[in-house]
Amino acid sequence: MTDSAWCAKKNDGAGHAVSAKLDEFNAWQCDAQRQIRSERIPGVTVEMPAEVLREVLSPEECQSLIEGIPKGGAGHMDGAEVSQLYRDRVLASRYLSHDPKLALQVMDRISAYLPGGLDGGRLFRVSPTFRFLHYEEGGRQGCHIDGREPAEPVLEEAAGGWVQSRLTLQMYLNSHGVDFEGGELVFLQPGNFGAGAPQFRAKHIYEPCAGDALVFYQERLQPPSNLSYELHHEASDVEGGNKYACRTMIEYVFPDRESATMGNIKDDASSGRIRRYCPERPGHASDLRDATDTTAVTLYNHDSQAEQQ
């Protein structure tokens, strides 16, 4: 199965909006009650987005979303179906939801913490396609890097260009140490650690907390990057209880297909190319500044130093 076909299959057949439960009980959090805090995920090149946003959702919102996840019907997939569709993933269930209101609410709350431009594209929206994930004891997800979606950029006239995701948005609906044990999100460092040693070592372990949102860059997988990947991660085994999370993407709009397909922070910077979105010239190639650009040189030097460590 091609990447495009697999991406389409896993996003097919979405069910209704889970956030309807919040409307029913008027559980949406007021703006004045929000105190979002941003914490950098360590061990990632500084120019590459990788943040934990604390308290994006309130405890009441999290609980309403959990209660709103259907147990069957359109969008629901049980654990056996999940294991057939996904490699090295153990879930009790996955629910695919089309939820524009939740997307708008989250975008309103976190937009100030998101890059306005990435890889020559401009910030567009939080995707309304959410995957609600339920893990029971033994639930896990193996080491992987998140791909961009759709696998091939799509030209959307209403958006004004080519649309593709650049950031993962992972939100947790309950808490490690309270509602479940284990189930940490582990960012991994690949390397040669000697004969018989694992290929990866943990470089940061995040313990999920209800209401938190993790936002991190989606490194280009096709064609493969010329430089080392930094955002391998896994969900460790749930050792007890029930863990709930929901995941979607943050999408960007690109002025041309080449930028959408090829843009990648480290590869562009290592060649001295920093892509700039040019809204005044829709349909034209992004600006590419030469290697004398200080931003490009800074990022390239930073990555070169990191490779030597």
Side-chain angles (χ1 to χ4, degrees):
M1 185 183 298
T2 66
D3 289 344
S4 294
W6 182 72
C7 189
K9 183 175 182 178
K10 69 180 180 177
N11 289 315
D12 184 44
H16 67 71
V18 172
S19 70
K21 195 80 172 178
L22 283 86
D23 292 324
E24 181 181 348
F25 294 101
N26 194 28
W28 290 108
Q29 183 185 45
C30 297
D31 287 352
Q33 296 175 315
R34 290 204 314 276
Q35 294 183 336
I36 295 174
R37 295 174 288 112
S38 176
E39 300 174 6
R40 179 74 182 168
I41 296 172
V44 180
T45 295
V46 67
E47 288 83 1
M48 195 177 293
E51 305 287 337
V52 178
L53 302 180
R54 301 282 188 182
E55 300 181 40
V56 172
L57 298 173
S58 71
E60 295 76 17
E61 288 172 329
C62 290
Q63 186 59 38
S64 292
L65 289 171
I66 291 173
E67 293 173 0
I69 302 172
K71 307 300 183 190
H76 181 269
M77 187 178 291
D78 64 25
E81 294 174 293
V82 170
S83 65
Q84 292 176 2
L85 183 60
Y86 292 91
R87 177 179 57 84
D88 200 14
R89 178 180 293 189
V90 179
L91 287 173
S93 65
R94 189 209 75 168
Y95 179 70
L96 184 69
S97 171
H98 181 69
D99 201 329
K101 184 165 186 178
L102 180 59
L104 288 171
Q105 286 277 357
V106 173
M107 181 67 174
D108 181 61
R109 298 179 187 190
I110 70 172
S111 59
Y113 301 91
L114 303 176
L118 276 175
D119 296 340
R122 60 173 170 80
L123 179 61
F124 179 36
R125 66 177 183 175
V126 169
S127 169
T129 302
F130 289 84
R131 300 165 200 161
F132 287 84
L133 312 172
H134 175 204
Y135 298 82
E136 295 176 327
E137 184 173 351
R140 64 183 301 278
Q141 184 171 9
C143 175
H144 66 286
I145 298 173
D146 289 353
R148 299 168 177 179
E149 295 188 17
E152 296 292 333
V154 174
L155 181 60
E156 293 190 15
E157 185 175 343
W162 295 83
V163 176
Q164 192 181 51
S165 70
R166 275 303 185 273
L167 300 171
T168 290
L169 174 62
Q170 176 95 357
M171 298 188 293
Y172 290 94
L173 304 181
N174 60 355
S175 296
H176 173 276
V178 178
D179 304 296
F180 59 90
E181 298 297 332
E184 300 89 349
L185 181 65
V186 184
F187 288 92
L188 298 161
Q189 177 67 47
N192 182 5
F193 301 112
Q199 289 183 296
F200 296 90
R201 287 183 178 175
K203 63 180 178 181
H204 180 64
I205 300 175
Y206 165 78
E207 297 180 349
C209 184
D212 283 359
L214 273 69
V215 176
F216 53 90
Y217 186 64
Q218 296 171 337
E219 299 170 282
R220 192 187 71 214
L221 299 179
Q222 295 296 332
S225 172
N226 295 316
L227 300 170
S228 61
Y229 291 100
E230 297 192 25
L231 287 163
H232 291 87
H233 57 283
E234 66 182 11
S236 61
D237 289 22
V238 173
E239 298 170 0
N242 291 274
K243 171 186 169 185
Y244 289 92
C246 68
R247 180 185 185 278
T248 189
M249 314 276 183
I250 297 170
E251 298 174 332
Y252 283 72
V253 182
F254 299 85
D256 56 86
R257 185 183 180 89
E258 191 274 342
S259 289
T261 302
M262 297 301 297
N264 199 54
I265 289 174
K266 289 175 66 175
D267 289 271
D268 288 336
S270 69
S271 62
R273 301 171 57 176
I274 301 298
R275 301 172 189 267
R276 297 297 186 192
Y277 184 71
C278 306
E280 69 278 9
R281 298 190 298 155
H284 289 261
S286 304
D287 282 346
L288 297 175
R289 296 190 290 170
D290 63 31
T292 61
D293 181 277
T294 56
T295 305
V297 172
T298 298
L299 177 52
Y300 178 66
N301 287 342
H302 181 281
D303 184 66
S304 297
Q305 293 167 6
E307 292 294 321
Q308 296 169 6
Q309 294 176 356

